[in-house]
Amino acid sequence: MDHLRLSDAEREAALARLGEHYAAGRLDKEEYDERSDAVWSARTRADLRPVFVDLEVAPSPRPAAGVVRRGRRAGLPGPLIAVLVVLAALTVVTHLPLILLALLAWCLVRFHRSRHWTR
């Protein structure tokens, strides 16, 4: 794929990446100008490789599966709590605990599956 010719959009994306490195302080103004000239004169993707060879930064590690992300509340979600309250009230009013317990079990299974599939 390195032999393919660059489009203007790819050059602009490369310049944006170069600007990020400049903003992070990895390049001074003179180096940025030289490298941006090299980006505009590049014809193939292979021509861009020397521009970024000493600038590429390893991506930040992703959180491990099953780890609760910051800002995400652990525990039961609001709708499930509302369903539990309604089921408890119906159990008291109708005296049919077996049907309502089955509904509760179904809700818990659905909740567990939805959390399992989103990880």
Side-chain angles (χ1 to χ4, degrees):
M1 295 293 244
D2 286 345
H3 66 280
L4 296 177
R5 293 185 66 89
L6 291 172
S7 67
D8 286 341
E10 289 171 314
R11 285 186 188 91
E12 290 172 5
L15 282 173
R17 280 187 11 221
L18 197 62
E20 291 172 5
H21 290 292
Y22 176 67
R26 294 185 193 100
L27 298 171
D28 61 17
K29 178 71 171 136
E30 185 178 318
E31 288 175 312
Y32 174 78
D33 290 339
E34 290 173 7
R35 291 179 191 222
S36 62
D37 289 341
V39 168
W40 280 117
S41 63
R43 293 188 178 174
T44 65
R45 293 178 183 172
D47 295 337
L48 287 180
R49 190 173 300 142
V51 174
F52 292 99
V53 72
D54 61 338
L55 294 176
E56 295 302 323
V57 178
S60 61
R62 294 183 179 177
V67 174
V68 176
R69 293 180 194 96
R70 183 179 296 173
R72 186 173 175 185
R73 196 177 77 207
L76 298 176
L80 186 59
I81 292 173
V83 168
L84 292 175
V85 169
V86 169
L87 288 177
L90 286 174
T91 300
V92 171
V93 171
T94 62
H95 303 292
L96 297 173
L98 293 179
I99 294 172
L100 296 175
L101 287 175
L103 285 173
L104 173 64
W106 178 78
C107 287
L108 289 174
V109 167
R110 296 266 306 172
F111 172 71
H112 176 71
R113 284 187 182 169
S114 68
R115 285 184 54 121
H116 175 72
W117 288 108
T118 57
R119 286 186 183 168

